[in-house]
Amino acid sequence: MNNFLKTLIILTLLSSSMSWAKPNIVILATGGTIAASGESSTSSAYSSGVATVDELINAVPAINKIANIQGEQISNIGSQAINDKIWLKLANRVNTLLKKDSVDGVVITHGTDTLESTAYFLNLTVRNNKPIVVVGAMRSGSSLSADGPLNIYNAVSVAINKNSFNKGVLVVMNDEIHSAREVAKMNTSLVNAFASPNTGRIGTVYYGKVNYYTQSTKRNTINSEFNIENITSLPRVDIIYAHAQDTDIFVKAAVNAGAKGIIHAGMGNGNIYPLTLKALAKASKNGVIIARTSRVGSGRTNLHEEVNDTKYGFIVTDNLNPQKARILLMLGLTKTNNKEKLQQMFFEY
Ligand code: ASP
């Protein structure tokens, strides 16, 4: 064998062993602005969920240098159209993928409107300690200074990072890493729309460089008791938003529609307008789980302050926002109707 041939063989072996050494990441695309196309580079008008997963991957060639990337399309919608069916499909798929030795982590691209809800749903239903990263974008792919490509690069960087194991589901947006339980969309349109109002971000990812500073202490993923493997639908839980001069009609409507639980997004520390309180007390007496949360946006809703929770049989939701409290109550109701047990879940997850 001549020297040229030998060198060629060595180089081929080296490059293929290098690609074996790269982590295997699956990108699951669901739609959203990150996959959107706008009217022009300076227009804010666009349609969500246009680009396919392959187009998203091709738009960020740099991710192929740091990982072996595979893509799958779960849905292609604006995340305002997300539903239980897609959540169950996504969670089951993530569970199946992460069980494989050949998959080291997953990245889920998602619209930002309900990104925090999907992330928290996965945080409670995926039983694996491998990295699970949810990512979105505030600007469409055709916009000037689109944030999607760098967010995707950063999300893959977080997914391949050894320190991302055992952290529960992570959300990457705007160079920040957030815990799925804590993160919320706090602004309708700015690039820094995401924040964790109660605890702050857990880390940063700067052009792929990952740093963690803190971690959620709440139960998640491998420590979660929820199993959706054999579940095809979730119990109905409605959210009712409190306001001055409130009414009882939405409580009655929810009960009539068959709600098993109601999340009351109360004023201040979960407080309730008297007429609404009467209707909620009646619903509670009839077996509907009433969980008090707050419309404030941060802080804990505490038991027995201005509301006599024992008298009415209400539970509280710790510092979860209403949309996350709804997810925990839906999953809790798949296991039990017992109020004490459900209350305990709100303190643990
Ligand atoms: N409506 C879009 C969505 O949630 C907004 C976004 O992705 O930023 O799909």
Side-chain angles (χ1 to χ4, degrees), residues 31-34 46 48 77-80 110-114 137-138 185:
T33 297
I34 197 162
Y46 64 85
S48 272
I77 52 165
S79 72
Q80 57 271 39
H110 201 286
T112 61
D113 289 355
T114 58
M138 293 302 294
K185 186 173 185 179

Side-chain angles (χ1 to χ4, degrees), residues 203-224:
T204 57
V205 48
Y206 187 64
Y207 291 98
K209 285 183 196 69
V210 176
N211 281 295
Y212 285 106
Y213 298 98
T214 176
Q215 181 163 352
S216 173
T217 56
K218 296 290 190 174
R219 285 174 73 177
N220 61 66
T221 54
I222 41 168
N223 296 316
S224 168

